[in-house]
Amino acid sequence: MPSPTGLTYPPTLDDAPERDRLVQTIKDWTIANGLAVRPPPALVSNDSEGILAMSAPVTLFPSPFPKTCFEEAKAIQTKYNELYARISQDEEYLSGLVQEVAGGDEFIDNLWKVHLRVKEEGYVQSLALGLFRSDYMVHQDGDNLQIKQVEFNTIASSFGGLSGQTSLLHKYLAKTEYPLLKQSLTLSSGNLPPNSSAEGLAAGLAAAFRAYGKSSLGHQTCILFLVQDGERNVFDQRHLEYALQTSDAEPIPVFRLPFSQILAHTTLAATSPGRQLLYRPPNNPSLTFEVAVAYLRAGYGPGDYPSASAWEARYQIERSAAIACPSVLTQLAGMKKVQQVLATPESVSSAPSALRRFVPDDDNSGDAAYQALWRTFTNIYPLDTSAAGQEARRLATDSEECKKYVMKPQREGGGNNFYRTAIPQRLKEIPEAHWGSYILMELITPPPVVNTILRNGKLEHGGVICELGIYGTCLWDQKTGAILRNEESGYLLRTKGDQSEEGGVAAGFGCMDSCLLV
Ligand code: ADP
Ligand code: MG
Ligand code: MG
């Protein structure tokens, strides 16, 4: 595509010394600024001290992205935050959807059981925090470009830490390196939007921390990051931590605890009815902190629950007084099943449109929000025995029709979906009674973009597909429905080779990118 300066963009970099120089600059900048990940065990045979870091995969140039689409996605985020806060509060509605998928999905069933156990004794914390990310691709229909939502993440929405750094990298290169290329590129800073995703997410955590208030037991309060063992994406999480300490005058104690260690290092206060979550740091167990916010960067998939005790750990967090980010209900609101029912038009479903249930037009101002949200949906079908489900089953099992779809289970973290001709194959493997735990979604086909990815020190040049994520932070009261904070909190651009189905950076398919607005 033509660049804002009229040159071919991005340049192909045929000149080897020019290319090597740019790559070296990026290698150094990424490490110097924490745009980095821990190396995979396969790459490093001997890092027993855990001291090594490597550059996160990035594009050499910011990918062109339609400005109107970018602005639309940002503008709608607070509406999405509110929508998902409302869904999280509607236990009855979620219950119905959980029942529809739980038969074929033990993980969702177990999550629901955690909620039911806590409900029985009564929740002691009514505040809930969402650090959300709504993901989109641009859909091209003739000349018309429209963002279509890929999914809405309500748990462990990642890359907010690295994403701001990627925007800074491309801004830096625009100042120092691109002007030196033979096809001199001057990207005006107006086309490279600011991106304070780390600060935005940290501000959400800080707001919840403050809303929790002081410890009635006289302890210092803290934020606890619950993380995966051997997490490679640790610097992404650290950036949020560092932003927390600069965004607030008073430093907030933050600790990282592997999800597998919850029961070893936390307890619930025994002497009071408050069920305060108490944390004793392993290196100094004589200290006790009261956890104000439990921020889950783990616990989103079955792999984090290898035993019954892992479920007990999740139960401990859920029944405690800590503000969970997310609670089980908020996590379940992020099921692909929820997205499917929201996107199912009234005429297809026997129930009234789910979106209308959560975005009523009772004051005549809701309709703009309803229409704006509706525009971002693409076709998603149930695979149940309803009329819409039967039609979807026909499409999913047809060897030609299936090529337009992706089939998704109720999973997070990448690598779980079935694409095109793999759909009928997969359906053959599972009992028909369990098909309803999947949804069938039309594939979005964005306009072609070319870029070069630097991954593991190697360049990959060619057609790419970009996925935009918009972060949102929302703090609300489950009991009263009051929304105490609702902010759009920065963006993520992830880019993958156009031959790859999945786009996850952590899963090894995608890379970090930033937007050149066109
Ligand atoms: P996860 O929660 O595991 O990230 P996603 O729904 O985001 O699941 O799917 C993973 C990836 O699959 C996305 O990042 C995207 O690259 C691709 N994908 C998912 N849905 C679609 C779709 N409707 N059209 C095109 N690509 C899709
Ligand atoms: Mg995703
Ligand atoms: Mg997801």
Side-chain angles (χ1 to χ4, degrees):
M1 61 145 272
S3 80
T5 55
L7 299 162
T8 305
Y9 183 87
T12 47
L13 295 182
D14 298 322
D15 183 74
E18 191 171 65
R19 192 174 55 225
D20 293 347
R21 182 192 149 92
L22 180 60
V23 165
Q24 191 58 48
T25 301
I26 293 176
K27 284 182 187 167
D28 292 346
W29 194 99
T30 49
I31 293 300
N33 292 278
L35 180 41
V37 292
R38 291 271 181 226
L43 265 190
V44 206
S45 53
N46 191 7
D47 183 27
S48 55
E49 304 300 331
I51 53 167
L52 296 180
M54 60 188 274
S55 306
V58 290
T59 54
L60 298 193
F61 301 93
S63 289
F65 197 92
K67 187 169 187 210
T68 50
C69 292
F70 182 80
E71 309 265 306
E72 183 184 347
K74 271 171 75 104
I76 203 175
Q77 186 59 34
T78 52
K79 298 183 182 79
Y80 261 119
N81 291 343
E82 182 170 351
L83 171 63
Y84 275 83
R86 299 270 172 252
I87 296 170
S88 302
Q89 288 159 38
D90 198 334
E91 195 235 13
E92 188 191 333
Y93 195 78
L94 282 173
S95 168
L97 296 183
V98 164
Q99 299 327 311
E100 287 188 34
V101 299
D105 195 322
E106 198 186 0
F107 176 66
I108 296 294
D109 194 37
N110 282 331
L111 274 176
W112 186 249
K113 283 179 184 148
V114 170
H115 164 67
L116 289 184
R117 276 175 81 188
V118 179
K119 186 185 164 195
E120 202 171 302
E121 62 183 333
Y123 276 83
V124 289
Q125 179 57 266
S126 68
L127 293 180
L129 174 68
L131 297 193
F132 298 139
R133 199 187 69 219
S134 187
D135 291 338
Y136 307 90
M137 285 179 183
V138 174
H139 177 68
Q140 187 167 25
D141 185 6
D143 283 346
N144 184 28
L145 298 174
Q146 169 64 44
I147 46 160
K148 291 291 178 188
Q149 187 181 55
V150 173
E151 62 152 345
F152 191 89
N153 293 289
T154 60
I155 181 164
S157 309
S158 56
F159 295 112
L162 296 189
S163 181
Q165 298 307 99
T166 312
S167 294
L168 291 178
L169 165 70
H170 287 150
K171 272 187 190 168
Y172 171 79
L173 297 174
K175 261 194 211 152
T176 61
E177 295 297 319
Y178 302 154
L180 300 181
L181 300 177
K182 285 215 184 81
Q183 299 182 42
S184 180
L185 289 176
T186 41
L187 306 180
S188 89
S189 60
N191 293 341
L192 300 175
N195 186 12
S196 47
S197 43
E199 292 76 12
L201 295 175
L205 287 166
F209 176 81
R210 283 191 299 271
Y212 183 88
K214 284 202 163 27
S215 162
S216 58
L217 304 174
H219 299 301
Q220 219 185 331
T221 48
C222 74
I223 298 179
L224 192 59
F225 282 37
L226 297 170
V227 301
Q228 291 183 323
D229 287 299
E231 173 64 79
R232 290 187 54 215
N233 196 24
V234 56
F235 305 114
D236 177 48
Q237 302 171 355
R238 286 288 193 187
H239 282 301
L240 299 195
E241 228 179 281
Y242 305 149
L244 262 173
Q245 307 308 358
T246 46
S247 68
D248 226 56
E250 281 282 304
I252 298 174
V254 177
F255 298 97
R256 297 170 58 80
L257 181 68
F259 194 80
S260 61
Q261 301 292 305
I262 291 173
L263 294 179
H265 300 292
T266 70
T267 51
L268 295 189
T271 51
S272 80
R275 280 187 245 145
Q276 290 89 346
L277 183 66
L278 304 179
Y279 171 67
R280 292 184 188 84
N283 55 356
N284 197 345
S286 61
L287 279 178
T288 300
F289 290 85
E290 181 170 329
V291 180
V293 183
Y295 173 45
L296 280 83
R297 291 296 293 258
Y300 52 80
D304 287 327
Y305 301 85
S307 62
S309 74
W311 284 107
E312 283 305 302
R314 182 66 191 267
Y315 170 60
Q316 174 142 304
I317 301 298
E318 185 74 6
R319 70 192 285 254
S320 80
I323 300 173
C325 177
S327 68
V328 167
L329 285 179
T330 303
Q331 179 173 350
L332 288 168
M335 286 190 300
K336 270 94 182 166
K337 184 71 193 173
V338 170
Q339 190 196 12
Q340 176 257 300
V341 295
L342 290 174
T344 300
E346 247 165 290
S347 56
V348 172
S349 135
S350 49
S353 158
L355 184 61
R356 189 47 98 193
R357 178 184 177 103
F358 298 107
V359 190
D361 191 16
D362 30 41
D363 61 354
N364 280 334
S365 66
D367 220 47
Y370 180 92
Q371 296 300 342
L373 290 163
W374 186 263
R375 256 202 312 279
T376 65
F377 295 160
T378 188
N379 289 323
I380 315 178
Y381 306 99
L383 280 164
D384 56 18
T385 51
S386 67
Q390 295 292 1
E391 172 60 6
R393 286 175 176 211
R394 187 187 68 75
L395 298 170
T397 51
D398 184 283
S399 58
E400 277 307 309
E401 294 287 355
C402 73
K403 292 176 183 167
K404 294 182 220 146
Y405 296 94
V406 48
M407 185 173 82
K408 304 185 184 183
Q410 313 304 314
R411 284 292 170 281
E412 293 303 324
N416 299 301
N417 298 340
F418 298 87
Y419 296 86
R420 300 187 173 91
T421 51
I423 299 172
Q425 255 169 295
R426 174 64 183 167
L427 286 174
K428 272 191 205 131
E429 292 164 12
I430 48 178
E432 217 168 307
H434 293 169
W435 288 12
S437 61
Y438 290 77
I439 56 103
L440 188 72
M441 182 174 189
E442 228 167 59
L443 283 166
I444 309 162
T445 48
V449 174
V450 167
N451 209 334
T452 305
I453 296 171
L454 175 63
R455 186 197 315 278
N456 298 337
K458 306 238 164 33
L459 294 176
E460 305 162 11
H461 181 80
V464 294
I465 290 177
C466 299
E467 184 173 348
L468 177 72
I470 305 290
Y471 296 98
T473 53
C474 196
L475 179 68
W476 69 93
D477 190 314
Q478 281 281 110
K479 262 197 216 129
T480 66
I483 293 184
L484 309 174
R485 178 197 165 84
N486 182 3
E487 300 284 337
E488 176 261 305
S489 308
Y491 83 90
L492 162 71
L493 191 70
R494 267 178 314 174
T495 291
K496 63 177 182 178
D498 59 9
Q499 301 305 308
S500 161
E501 308 277 24
E502 291 271 340
V505 179
F509 310 104
C511 79
M512 302 297 299
D513 196 349
S514 76
C515 292
L516 170 68
L517 298 181
V518 289

